[in-house]
Amino acid sequence: MSGIPDHWKWFNEARFGLFVHWGPYAAYGRGEQVLFRERLDQRDYEARACRWNPQKFDATAWADVAKQAGMKYAVLTTRHHDGFCLWDSKFTDYTSAAQAPRRDFVREYVEAFRAAGLRVGLYYSMIDWRVPAAFEGPEHDPRGWAAFREYVHHQVRELLTHYGRIDVMWFDGAWPETSRQWGSHELVQTMRSLQPHLLINNRLGRDEDDPAGTGGQSRSLGDFSTPEHRIVEDPHRLWESCDVSTSRLWGYAKGERWRPADVLLDKLVECASKGGNLLLNVGPTGDGEFPSEFVAITDAIGKWMRLHGECISGSERGEVCEFITHGRQIRKGSNLYLVVRFWDGTGALTLAGLETTVTRAVLLTTGSELRFKQTTDHLAIEGLPEKSPTDLFPVIRLECDGPPKARPWAVDRLWKGDPRRMTAWAAQRGKTVWVGR
Ligand code: GLC
């Protein structure tokens, strides 16, 4: 994507961020939406939330995990749909500052992450499941809605006023109301005047003409789009795919099944190859710690990133030619990176369809230079180790004499594009169905 303003370039360079879903729900160990899903008694939930007092929360320890994983930014749930605020809000006492912990967790988070050199983002749920008007909506309870909406606007202003420079504002929970009903246009103006460099996501309420408006997402408002559990490029703006490191829920759940490091790394590589970011989630425990499984997974990814991170940060959109048999391709300047997901142990690898001249090939994983032969349609790389040099994905850096480009026939993949581009190739052996005629 061209034309990205300077103050947003960091986001397009970053590619990898940490999403943290944390609040009183963590103590239940049944995900972030336990209140609604299980139709819990509102008073009981509130009483328990007010007593919630995580003793092991250490923002510096969280920031260390993110940093060593190669993540460049983070987004923390300052308030999820249950309405509990992790900062010292003066518009409610349902906060970690006014209740048992007597701590402003948002302040601790922004300070620790900034100190670690990471950019900071704040997730804020527009809906609040404690408030009847939030369910009634503006049509059935116009006065209640107006008051609730004002509360939301006040809190957003508060978050962008008292915590220094915030890099990302990440909304959620706007469904099913429109961005007009939420006053999102005014809210965006206010946010821009408070923090002109801020990146704002697209979940600011659906557009008027888009009844489906999946998850309260707006096409017209927002600086980046947020496909969830999926990797979908947005041709018109920056994008970030958010996903769980577990199986389904975002908040801490007991008995989780964790996705292995290679599955998660592949998501990051896919985002990078398509020119977008991965915001990878963790749900810390009720006591405030990252589950040990997450620490082990991000540790493995971090080790990989230290050797291969140059192909992730600042990657450009679009694979060049066919590579599905071996893995994925990432483009960056005059380099084409081959991320080999499937190491076949043959010692050789052939890439078809690269037009640009390769000047040097390096196995990034070991730093060793590789032999290769390039003909019109094929690049044959030799001398690869039989055994994969890493448990995750080895990467080959092809240095080219210009930005890597595909041969005309290879621009489109199998079953796509104009089939006639392949006629001359088929005709190499003649025209009949008989052998050798
Ligand atoms: C979904 C979930 C919500 C979570 C969000 C993160 O909307 O319902 O709980 O916070 O995804 O993108």
Side-chain angles (χ1 to χ4, degrees), residues 302-417:
K303 288 200 177 94
W304 185 91
M305 287 289 279
R306 281 192 280 285
L307 283 176
H308 308 98
E310 66 168 74
C311 70
I312 300 292
S313 79
S315 66
E316 290 160 37
R317 184 183 295 239
E319 298 199 311
V320 175
C321 48
E322 179 74 43
F323 197 58
I324 192 169
T325 310
H326 301 284
R328 300 187 191 278
Q329 294 174 345
I330 300 177
R331 271 184 332 120
K332 188 168 155 182
S334 296
N335 289 340
L336 178 64
Y337 296 90
L338 306 179
V339 183
V340 186
R341 295 172 65 204
F342 310 100
W343 194 259
D344 63 16
T346 59
L349 187 156
T350 298
L351 177 70
L354 178 66
E355 183 164 279
T356 321
T357 303
V358 174
T359 53
R360 194 165 171 252
V362 177
L363 180 57
L364 219 52
T365 320
T366 60
S368 52
E369 201 162 328
L370 297 165
R371 282 176 282 121
F372 62 91
K373 283 194 203 100
Q374 188 168 19
T375 55
T376 313
D377 281 336
H378 296 105
L379 178 83
I381 303 169
E382 294 158 23
L384 294 167
E386 231 170 80
K387 193 177 164 309
S388 171
T390 159
D391 288 341
L392 289 169
F393 315 140
V395 177
I396 298 168
R397 182 179 64 214
L398 301 178
E399 299 170 17
C400 304
D401 70 356
K405 238 176 79 183
R407 300 262 308 131
W409 66 264
V411 170
D412 294 302
R413 301 297 184 272
L414 187 68
W415 313 123
K416 292 202 180 124

Side-chain angles (χ1 to χ4, degrees), residues 19 21 32-33 80-81 123 170 172 203 228 242 250:
F19 210 176
H21 274 74
E32 78 288 2
Q33 306 197 4
H80 204 262
H81 313 331
Y123 166 110
W170 216 104
D172 194 23
R203 299 192 185 179
E228 179 177 314
C242 51
W250 301 81

Side-chain angles (χ1 to χ4, degrees), residues 265-307:
L265 178 61
D266 183 49
K267 288 187 187 295
L268 175 60
V269 170
E270 184 177 349
C271 288
S273 76
K274 294 179 173 169
N277 291 7
L278 177 70
L279 188 66
L280 184 64
N281 183 69
V282 63
T285 64
D287 228 9
E289 285 182 306
F290 283 179
S292 57
E293 293 91 337
F294 183 76
V295 175
I297 290 165
T298 45
D299 187 56
I301 294 179
K303 288 200 177 94
W304 185 91
M305 287 289 279
R306 281 192 280 285
L307 283 176

